């Protein structure tokens, strides 16, 4: 049987109530360990792009179910990381393989949970956190105070500015997670949540919130998008008039956040240029 079929069969037994954390066998836990190994090697992913469009990302349901099984079939145990004692169902990821790929993480606060993938020549600055099922591709910078959530898919040569939150989506299993495609740059304090997709080579201004509930006014194609930012755009937050209108509790109109997307200009490219010396 393949790993996928093993996970599917185990999920069915778990969903039918035939196995739980107190009855899981060594063989079943070995299946979960092999699954986490495959995630860490980048051999399986929680979502994949099925076409050329930025909207063509689809979740791999069986992979997300495999991650959920690691919570449903494992006991919470006391664990240690350096001088810190914590309690969790999963240990932290072994990082010995990162050096062989030229990836580095600074001490005292870079936390990589079991089942997370980091590609070659990545940089993780402390403090930062990459959760189970996340995929961080080659050459990407995860800066200080960043969080990369469960199953989030981060492309190659991405720059996540300091204090950036990349949300994760584990449930429902059919929902695609947050995706930041190749070459994108997110300014400090950005938040990307609820399965939003940032198109390749786009540049997002600091403190921008990207979520499917906030419209993206694309002034290049003169369209309004929900749930994604097209490729090769410069995006930032603006406030537009809300339908709420006047209210007894405040004077004047009400406003709601929106995102404006423009062409990328040369000065914007200069401001976000990669310093290759950091990646030698």
């Amino acid at each position: 049987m393949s790993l996928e079929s093993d996970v599917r069969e185990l999920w069915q037994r778990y969903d039918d109530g035939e196995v739980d954390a107190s009855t899981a066998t060594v063989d079943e836990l070995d299946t979960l360990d092999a699954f986490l190994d495959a995630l860490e090697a980048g051999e399986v992913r929680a979502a994949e792009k099925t076409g050329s469009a930025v909207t063509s990302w689809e979740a791999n349901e069986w992979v997300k179910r495999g991650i959920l099984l690691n919570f449903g079939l494992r006991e919470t145990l006391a664990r240690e990381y350096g001088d810190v004692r914590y309690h969790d169902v999963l240990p932290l990821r072994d990082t010995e393989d990162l050096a062989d790929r030229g990836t580095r993480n600074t001490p005292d606060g870079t936390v990589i949970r079991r089942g997370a993938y980091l590609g070659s020549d990545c940089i993780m600055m402390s403090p930062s956190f990459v959760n189970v099922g996340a995929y961080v591709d080659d050459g990407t910078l995860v800066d200080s105070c960043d969080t990369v959530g469960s199953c989030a898919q981060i492309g190659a040569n991405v720059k996540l500015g300091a204090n950036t939150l990349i949300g994760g989506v584990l449930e429902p299993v059919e929902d695609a997670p947050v995706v930041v495609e190749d070459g994108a740059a997110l300014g400090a304090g950005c938040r990307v949540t609820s399965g939003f997709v940032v198109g390749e080579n786009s540049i997002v201004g600091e403190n921008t919130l990207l979520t499917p509930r906030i419209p993206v006014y694309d002034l290049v194609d003169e369209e309004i998008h929900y749930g994604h930012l097209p490729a090769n755009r410069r995006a930032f937050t603006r406030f537009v008039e809300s339908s709420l209108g006047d209210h007894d509790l405040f004077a004047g109109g009400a406003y709601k956040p929106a995102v404006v997307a423009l062409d990328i200009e040369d000065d914007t490219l200069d401001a976000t240029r990669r310093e290759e010396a950091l990646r030698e």
Side-chain angles (χ1 to χ4, degrees), residues 54 113 131 179 191 231 280:
V54 70
R113 208 173 188 198
N131 208 347
V179 177
R191 292 171 291 162
E280 291 293 337

Side-chain angles (χ1 to χ4, degrees), residues 48-188:
E48 293 179 288
K49 196 172 185 180
T50 59
S52 59
V54 70
T55 55
S56 65
W57 284 87
E58 294 183 4
N60 286 326
E61 294 184 26
W62 77 270
V63 175
K64 296 178 74 175
R65 288 192 171 113
I67 295 171
L68 291 171
L69 281 171
N70 276 276
F71 294 95
L73 298 183
R74 293 185 188 272
E75 302 280 3
T76 297
L77 301 176
R79 305 178 186 275
E80 292 186 0
Y81 177 73
D83 296 329
V84 177
R85 188 173 176 86
Y86 67 101
H87 296 78
D88 198 359
V89 295
L90 290 175
L92 299 183
R93 187 191 191 285
D94 192 321
T95 59
E96 289 186 1
D97 62 315
L98 299 186
D100 293 336
R101 296 202 297 275
T103 288
R104 50 195 168 96
N105 58 312
T106 58
D108 294 330
T110 53
V111 179
I112 311 171
R113 208 173 188 198
R114 186 88 160 88
Y117 173 80
L118 271 75
S120 300
D121 301 317
C122 294
I123 302 171
M124 277 190 68
M125 299 300 295
S126 58
S128 56
F129 176 66
V130 179
N131 208 347
V132 57
Y135 186 99
V136 180
D137 212 338
D138 299 347
T140 286
L141 168 65
V142 180
D143 211 339
S144 298
C145 300
D146 288 352
T147 296
V148 179
S150 297
C151 300
Q153 305 291 296
I154 310 298
N157 301 316
V158 169
K159 181 179 180 180
L160 302 180
N163 201 32
T164 291
L165 169 65
I166 304 296
V169 178
L170 261 179
E171 51 187 358
V173 292
E174 65 271 14
D175 283 0
V178 171
V179 177
V180 181
E181 293 189 336
D182 296 353
L186 275 60

Side-chain angles (χ1 to χ4, degrees), residues 4 9 22 98 102 137 141 195 266:
E4 178 178 350
E9 187 271 338
S22 64
L98 299 186
D137 212 338
L141 168 65
D266 289 342

Side-chain angles (χ1 to χ4, degrees), residues 123-266:
I123 302 171
M124 277 190 68
M125 299 300 295
S126 58
S128 56
F129 176 66
V130 179
N131 208 347
V132 57
Y135 186 99
V136 180
D137 212 338
D138 299 347
T140 286
L141 168 65
V142 180
D143 211 339
S144 298
C145 300
D146 288 352
T147 296
V148 179
S150 297
C151 300
Q153 305 291 296
I154 310 298
N157 301 316
V158 169
K159 181 179 180 180
L160 302 180
N163 201 32
T164 291
L165 169 65
I166 304 296
V169 178
L170 261 179
E171 51 187 358
V173 292
E174 65 271 14
D175 283 0
V178 171
V179 177
V180 181
E181 293 189 336
D182 296 353
L186 275 60
C190 286
R191 292 171 291 162
V192 190
T193 68
S194 304
F196 194 96
V197 180
V198 178
E200 63 181 14
N201 300 319
S202 284
I203 298 172
V204 182
E206 61 186 22
N207 296 318
T208 299
L209 172 60
L210 299 173
T211 182
R213 293 175 296 280
I214 292 179
V216 175
Y217 291 88
D218 183 7
L219 303 188
V220 178
D221 291 336
E222 297 187 349
E223 294 180 341
I224 300 176
H225 307 289
Y226 286 89
H228 72 277
L229 173 66
N232 303 299
R233 296 293 192 270
R234 174 171 61 97
F236 49 89
T237 298
R238 286 293 182 266
F239 287 87
V240 297
E241 190 170 353
S242 169
S243 60
L244 183 63
D246 292 333
H247 195 282
D248 292 341
L249 292 180
F250 56 84
Y255 294 86
K256 59 184 179 182
V259 174
V260 175
L262 305 170
D263 274 323
I264 298 176
E265 299 174 352
D266 289 342

